[in-house]
Amino acid sequence: MSDQPYHRYFPKPSCYQNQEKAMETIHKALGEGKLVLFEGACGTGKTLSALAPALAVGKETGKKVIIATPVHQQMAQFIGEAREIRAKAGIKAVTFIGKEKMCPAGKNVHACRSAMLATDALLDAEKDAAKMRQLMKTDEWRSMRPDERHDLTRSMTMSEDAVRRLRASSCDYLYKTLKEPNDRFKQWLYDSVRSPEDVIDQSEKEGKCGYELLKDYLREADLVICNYHHLIKPEFRERFLTVLGCKLSDVIIIFDEAHNLEEQARASALAPVDEITIDLAEKEVTRLKADKETYNEAELRKGKEEARLLLTTLKETIRQTYSEKLKFGQAERMTSRGVDIRIRDPAGTDDFFCIAFRERLSAIGISLDEALLRVQMMGLAIFAQAEEDFKSGRTPSFDGSKLLDVANFLDSYVKLSSSDAHYPVITVRKTADARLYGALELCNCIAGELSEPLLDGPAGVVLMSATLQPFDTLKEVLRIKRETTEIAFGSPFPPERRKTIVVNSGPLMFANRGDINLEKTLVQLFQEIIEASTGNVLFFFQTAEEARKYSQLIKTDVPVLVPEKGTSPEKLKNQFFGYGDSGNKAVLMAYLWGTLTEGVDYKYDRCRTVVVVGVGLQNYRDDRSQAIINAYEGLYPGKGMEYVVSQPAVKKIRQACGRVIRSPTDYGVTILVDSRYTKQYSDKFSKMGYFYKFPEEESREFVELKPGDVKPAMVEFFKNVGPIESASGEAVPVFKTADHIAVTDGGSSTITKPKAEKKPQPPKTISKPLQKVDSEDGADPLPGMLARLKSPNGSMRWKAAMDLGTTGNPKAVEPLIRALDDSDTKVIMNAVWSLAKLGDVRALDPLQLLFRHKDKNVRDEARKAVKKIYGKK
């Protein structure tokens, strides 16, 4: 490697040719203040390729680097790589997560806010009492008149009473954090790159609040690892930047899994206002009392009447709107998801609800815009009074002001509900006792409303993902206005170890889902795919109903898993992994847009074949989707469906396809079942086809086959391709430079081809027969341990849970994860110990769920285990 500034932050002894080119390009682009669009397959080293040059530019320009992800599991990888960088370059790095997840007392955000107020008030009361006690020792006290001494003594007694009262509702952890010096924590924090679990563990040892401790020292960090939600919403971003001690222009931001950025931005809408919140706001108005500073009696009566009328009219308008529009029997059939009630034509701008609301208020002599200003002021007064009541002990908790929440929502609603960028709707739901209630919502239609200032403001930005293309679409959807540099890596993995089959089955559309002949063809095809695969088969369907239907229609000897209502996706996923890890085979049939498509690592033997059935377009006929499509049509004529429906589906499909090949030694088959993926169909029907919507380096690997030819092709593939092992029996890394790196800057495109290299001798490929869980010869102790782990005898289970940790076998991980749900605490404790000893990152999320276990010993051991696994990583 040449001596470049970014090499100081690249911790590996050498880098792949694509990484070197990427780092050079990103370093140049960030130095020029550009935004980088960076696509690369799993295993191409995207994270280090972005981090090293970003840190180099940050050092050169005095900017702080932030790397953000929407996936919690991804933080473990970032922490590991940051530790490697720190070991070489001495950077200061911090991982920052939400307050609720870090709270050692297990409080939610609202309880935390109450405890914080009480703690601040406690410290103030202690200071006041201490000052008065000190005064009583001075000559000034002795020179006071008796009545002055009496008043001062009375004040001190009140302060001491407040101290006793506030101590009960304050937070001991926060109190100690604010009261004592924290220099020791600072030194500990920057002695390594600490995981959130490390911080929680250390802060508990010190009896302090880890979240507040982190806030104190974030300003010194060179690199901050965090979640998207700290950055997307403007109000959250401002608070986060304040804690960092900088402005948006002072940071370089790397967004991982950036294909999610559009959806995350659209989802960051205003919190809706429902009838229950309005009822609480009315009660606040009723309880509000006059005070000399804010209201006299006459003003208060007038203001309360106006607020009461506004809230009552709002609630009545919501209720009448959904009562008139709910169809016969719809209320009785309503599910927990509720029902949307149209209050604006998705293709129009007239908000009928807002018009009716204004007219009703006008009829009783109230101007909405003027009344809102006064109600907001009243809400602020209630907020201040609630805070004072809590501090003085008149109320047990602090909940802010619901009236202020309603007024702030309405203020934004009346300004935005008629704009193309937003869409108003009333959602009707049921309470636990089957009463209906309506919620007024304002949906974001244009992601760029939030993403544009976020991406335009920083000193530099990198958006990276395995599925960012097409870049032109992304730039328009996110409203990227600044100059960009675009990088796309081809897959670095050996093409001979993967196969992508496109099945010419006809287009699988809604209109032909009931076709009996088509169903028979698909059932036969699915059965043959399952039979031909040498390991786990993962199906993704266009709807959850289709997944359930075909799980019942197919006939196979292997277990078929399907998500059901009330079934934990985490447990289902671990069950599926368990079959693969133990050398067996299972089938999982899931919804393409569910939680199993991305952010889940199907490495090792967890998945050998992925089947995507149909194109998987999300429902775009509902009012919300139509409003989004129409909003994009207004901005980009003729592209609404493409941007909102087609391209998101392709990205989701590409994410699903990426579940098979996760490392250089992986091998497997991806199958796309629908004629719309074929070149012939796409040439004939243009926009209806999907062949050209995939990047060229992916679509050129498509092998088009008839349904009857799929099984022979799979059998032939798995006959020739299998696990890679060396003569010693160890896995051999197989990693080659990507076929090409495409770099686009300022409209010009460059294809950089790697230099010809001497090909290494191919390693020995062996076929791997499926293993049975029960070992007949007893040579392998693992099957026996796994069997004892399922025993009804508790003693046998906890002994097996301990023994599995000594095997060092990764196939023990998933059974041990399932043992974390055991009814016997001893079994759980031993499973935690074993998972820590095995050190597999698959255990991180399940172990973190134990942080709130009822048994303190389990909580403590789970934290130690997570810390140990992070340390190994």
Side-chain angles (χ1 to χ4, degrees):
M1 291 190 295
S2 58
D3 187 20
Q4 296 295 334
Y6 48 81
H7 288 152
R8 179 188 174 196
Y9 302 96
F10 188 80
K12 306 296 183 182
S14 63
C15 63
Y16 307 117
Q17 186 174 351
N18 52 5
Q19 281 185 303
E20 178 64 43
K21 180 65 178 176
M23 287 191 290
E24 179 188 344
T25 305
I26 293 172
H27 183 263
K28 181 175 183 293
L30 292 178
E32 295 170 354
K34 294 181 180 178
L35 183 147
V36 180
L37 302 176
F38 182 17
E39 179 178 301
C42 170
T44 54
K46 292 190 298 295
T47 304
L48 285 177
S49 298
L51 267 179
L55 287 166
V57 173
K59 181 69 173 177
E60 294 161 7
T61 59
K63 307 298 183 186
K64 198 182 296 290
V65 178
I66 300 171
I67 183 165
T69 175
V71 183
H72 178 70
Q73 189 176 352
Q74 198 69 19
M75 283 191 176
Q77 178 189 334
F78 294 162
I79 291 167
E81 289 171 338
R83 283 173 179 164
E84 292 182 47
I85 295 172
R86 180 191 174 277
K88 181 177 181 180
I91 65 166
K92 292 182 176 181
V94 174
T95 308
F96 192 73
I97 61 173
K99 180 184 293 188
E100 189 170 331
K101 290 182 179 178
M102 293 195 71
C103 181
K107 297 178 185 289
N108 61 32
V109 172
H110 298 295
C112 227
R113 184 170 60 176
S114 293
M116 183 176 288
L117 275 174
T119 307
D120 287 339
L122 171 62
L123 290 168
D124 290 341
E126 284 182 338
K127 287 178 184 176
D128 291 342
K131 283 181 182 178
M132 285 183 274
R133 279 195 296 271
Q134 187 64 33
L135 179 62
M136 290 178 179
K137 298 177 183 178
T138 64
D139 292 338
E140 184 181 350
W141 165 263
R142 286 188 285 274
S143 64
M144 284 184 180
R145 298 192 310 272
D147 61 319
E148 291 176 328
R149 290 187 185 183
H150 177 270
D151 290 342
L152 192 60
T153 304
R154 187 169 176 272
S155 296
M156 190 182 75
T157 303
M158 291 175 64
S159 293
E160 289 175 340
D161 287 343
V163 167
R164 286 190 290 272
R165 184 184 66 250
L166 289 166
R167 187 162 280 133
S169 52
S170 66
C171 174
D172 292 339
Y173 295 99
L174 180 60
Y175 177 85
K176 196 171 180 182
T177 305
L178 299 175
K179 189 82 171 174
E180 299 178 0
N182 300 310
D183 295 341
R184 187 173 60 180
F185 177 86
K186 174 186 174 183
Q187 183 178 351
W188 170 87
L189 178 66
Y190 287 123
D191 275 348
S192 178
V193 180
R194 308 297 185 179
S195 70
E197 291 70 31
D198 290 335
V199 174
I200 292 168
D201 190 36
Q202 180 66 21
S203 60
E204 280 198 342
K205 285 179 183 175
E206 296 187 19
K208 296 181 177 181
C209 174
Y211 181 83
E212 291 298 323
L213 286 169
L214 276 185
K215 282 172 58 179
D216 284 346
Y217 301 117
L218 272 178
R219 292 172 181 239
E220 299 181 31
D222 305 304
L223 171 66
V224 179
I225 302 166
C226 70
N227 192 285
Y228 272 19
H229 74 259
H230 292 294
L231 295 168
I232 292 180
K233 275 194 172 184
E235 60 270 30
F236 291 177
R237 182 167 66 244
E238 286 307 311
R239 286 202 291 266
F240 183 49
L241 290 171
T242 299
V243 170
L244 291 179
C246 58
K247 298 176 291 189
L248 189 58
S249 58
D250 296 326
V251 297
I252 296 169
I253 305 179
I254 302 169
F255 286 97
D256 181 50
E257 302 292 348
H259 63 278
N260 289 306
L261 195 53
E262 177 193 359
E263 184 182 348
Q264 293 267 339
R266 271 212 300 261
S268 298
L270 291 169
V273 164
D274 57 34
E275 291 180 66
I276 298 169
T277 304
I278 298 170
D279 285 338
L280 293 172
E282 286 184 295
K283 289 178 182 178
E284 287 180 355
V285 172
T286 302
R287 292 195 299 264
L288 183 62
K289 296 177 181 178
D291 64 75
K292 294 179 180 179
E293 293 181 5
T294 312
Y295 295 106
N296 59 39
E297 286 292 345
E299 289 174 335
L300 180 62
R301 280 195 300 272
K302 183 179 178 182
K304 287 173 71 171
E305 180 63 14
E306 182 180 55
R308 187 189 64 78
L309 287 171
L310 185 143
L311 293 171
T312 302
T313 305
L314 175 62
K315 186 168 62 174
E316 288 176 352
T317 309
I318 291 173
R319 192 171 292 167
Q320 183 175 341
T321 301
Y322 69 73
S323 297
E324 290 176 352
K325 295 195 176 185
L326 280 176
K327 298 175 184 176
F328 178 76
Q330 198 171 9
E332 290 71 24
R333 298 190 303 271
M334 192 177 297
T335 65
S336 58
R337 294 176 63 184
V339 174
D340 279 356
I341 301 297
R342 178 187 288 193
I343 57 177
R344 194 187 94 186
D345 188 327
T349 57
D350 291 334
D351 176 1
F352 304 121
F353 171 85
C354 196
I355 292 170
F357 182 41
R358 283 183 181 277
E359 287 177 350
R360 284 180 169 221
L361 288 174
S362 181
I364 55 176
I366 294 177
S367 164
L368 175 58
D369 300 317
E370 294 174 6
L372 271 179
L373 288 172
R374 291 189 287 270
V375 172
Q376 278 181 305
M377 294 300 295
M378 184 176 288
L380 288 169
I382 290 172
F383 186 95
Q385 185 174 311
E387 185 174 347
E388 182 58 35
D389 286 347
F390 173 69
K391 287 181 178 180
S392 62
R394 290 190 290 271
T395 55
S397 63
F398 173 68
D399 298 317
S401 168
K402 299 300 180 187
L403 181 65
L404 184 60
D405 293 342
V406 173
N408 286 341
F409 174 85
L410 284 177
D411 184 51
S412 296
Y413 182 91
V414 297
K415 294 172 183 174
L416 302 173
S417 70
S418 295
S419 73
D420 288 337
H422 299 85
Y423 183 69
V425 65
I426 290 176
T427 305
V428 186
R429 294 186 175 88
K430 275 185 178 179
T431 61
D433 57 354
R435 289 185 297 113
L436 296 182
Y437 70 97
L440 186 62
E441 296 184 44
L442 189 64
C443 311
N444 285 342
C445 293
I446 303 297
E449 292 276 305
L450 288 177
S451 62
E452 182 179 354
L454 171 60
L455 299 179
D456 191 53
V461 179
V462 179
L463 304 184
M464 64 181 189
S465 168
T467 55
L468 275 187
Q469 296 187 74
F471 293 140
D472 288 344
T473 300
L474 187 73
K475 286 193 283 188
E476 289 195 333
V477 165
L478 297 180
R479 285 189 182 171
I480 296 173
K481 301 293 176 63
R482 66 197 296 172
E483 197 173 349
T484 63
T485 292
E486 296 151 22
I487 308 170
F489 284 171
S491 173
F493 305 138
E496 63 272 13
R497 297 186 62 77
R498 63 180 183 264
K499 192 176 189 71
T500 305
I501 297 172
V502 172
V503 184
N504 198 346
S505 59
L508 306 184
M509 299 182 179
F510 179 80
N512 59 9
R513 281 184 193 167
D515 187 311
I516 300 299
N517 291 328
L518 179 60
E519 280 186 5
K520 288 180 179 178
T521 300
L522 293 179
V523 168
Q524 180 66 27
L525 171 65
F526 298 162
Q527 290 173 172
E528 290 179 353
I529 289 171
I530 295 166
E531 185 180 346
S533 179
T534 59
N536 277 357
V537 185
L538 178 59
F539 284 85
F540 289 112
F541 287 87
Q542 300 179 97
T543 67
E545 291 75 19
E546 288 280 288
R548 285 192 288 270
K549 181 177 81 172
Y550 282 101
S551 71
Q552 295 166 2
L553 290 175
I554 62 169
K555 295 178 181 178
T556 178
D557 295 331
V558 302
V560 178
L561 311 175
V562 62
E564 297 284 357
K565 188 176 180 181
T567 304
S568 164
E570 185 70 22
K571 287 187 177 181
L572 193 72
K573 178 191 72 177
N574 289 335
Q575 190 178 355
F576 182 64
F577 289 171
Y579 285 108
D581 289 338
S582 61
N584 283 269
K585 177 165 66 176
V587 175
L588 176 57
M589 293 188 160
Y591 174 41
L592 180 67
W593 291 86
T595 58
L596 297 170
T597 313
E598 57 180 290
V600 181
D601 195 355
Y602 293 84
K603 60 184 178 181
Y604 308 131
D605 296 319
R606 296 175 179 182
C607 184
R608 190 64 64 223
T609 304
V610 162
V611 186
V612 179
V613 184
V615 171
L617 303 178
Q618 280 191 300
N619 176 23
Y620 58 88
R621 294 178 177 86
D622 65 284
D623 285 352
R624 294 184 192 227
S625 299
Q626 286 296 312
I628 296 170
I629 292 169
N630 288 324
Y632 277 106
E633 278 292 331
L635 289 172
Y636 314 109
K639 296 181 179 179
M641 280 289 291
E642 181 73 13
Y643 285 5
V644 179
V645 181
S646 300
Q647 283 301 333
V650 172
K651 288 180 181 180
K652 185 63 72 172
I653 292 160
R654 292 179 65 206
Q655 285 286 330
C657 294
R659 300 309 97 191
V660 181
I661 307 296
R662 309 291 292 174
S663 74
T665 56
D666 277 344
Y667 64 101
V669 177
T670 301
I671 303 172
L672 305 175
V673 184
D674 197 303
S675 295
R676 286 175 286 180
Y677 294 116
T678 65
K679 184 176 184 299
Q680 181 183 3
Y681 188 98
S682 299
D683 287 338
K684 184 175 181 180
F685 294 103
S686 186
K687 289 185 178 181
M688 293 287 288
Y690 280 78
F691 179 86
Y692 296 108
K693 296 185 192 300
F694 286 78
E696 185 181 349
E697 62 268 20
E698 294 177 20
S699 61
R700 67 173 172 233
E701 293 188 10
F702 289 3
V703 178
E704 298 179 11
L705 297 174
K706 295 177 181 177
D709 297 331
V710 174
K711 181 181 177 182
M714 290 181 67
V715 170
E716 182 67 18
F717 173 83
F718 287 118
K719 178 181 176 182
N720 296 318
V721 181
I724 295 177
E725 294 192 8
S726 65
S728 63
E730 296 181 351
V732 175
V734 178
F735 206 117
K736 54 189 271 186
T737 305
D739 293 337
H740 71 278
I741 306 168
V743 180
T744 307
D745 193 357
S748 61
S749 179
T750 306
I751 306 296
T752 305
K753 293 186 178 179
K755 295 178 181 178
E757 295 180 5
K758 203 172 180 181
K759 291 186 178 179
Q761 290 297 316
K764 181 182 176 185
T765 302
I766 62 169
S767 17
K768 178 182 177 185
L770 292 175
Q771 303 168 354
K772 293 184 178 178
V773 174
D774 298 321
S775 175
E776 295 177 2
D777 58 9
D780 182 3
L782 184 66
M785 294 179 188
L786 294 176
R788 289 195 297 278
L789 193 63
K790 298 178 182 177
S791 169
N793 185 311
S795 297
M796 291 185 71
R797 292 201 309 278
W798 71 256
K799 179 68 167 63
M802 175 69 77
D803 291 342
L804 283 166
T806 64
T807 64
N809 194 326
K811 292 178 181 178
V813 173
E814 297 298 342
L816 284 168
I817 287 173
R818 292 192 286 276
L820 298 178
D821 291 327
D822 200 284
S823 57
D824 190 328
T825 304
K826 287 184 178 179
V827 177
I828 297 173
M829 293 284 281
N830 285 354
V832 169
W833 179 87
S834 290
L835 287 168
K837 191 168 182 65
L838 291 169
D840 195 300
V841 295
R842 285 175 286 172
L844 286 173
D845 285 345
L847 284 169
Q848 287 165 10
L849 293 176
L850 294 180
F851 289 1
R852 295 183 185 275
H853 195 275
K854 61 183 179 181
D855 191 302
K856 185 178 185 301
N857 291 327
V858 172
R859 296 198 300 270
D860 292 344
E861 290 305 312
R863 288 196 174 101
K864 290 177 185 176
V866 168
K867 182 180 178 182
K868 187 172 181 181
I869 293 171
Y870 269 114
K872 287 185 178 183
K873 185 166 180 61

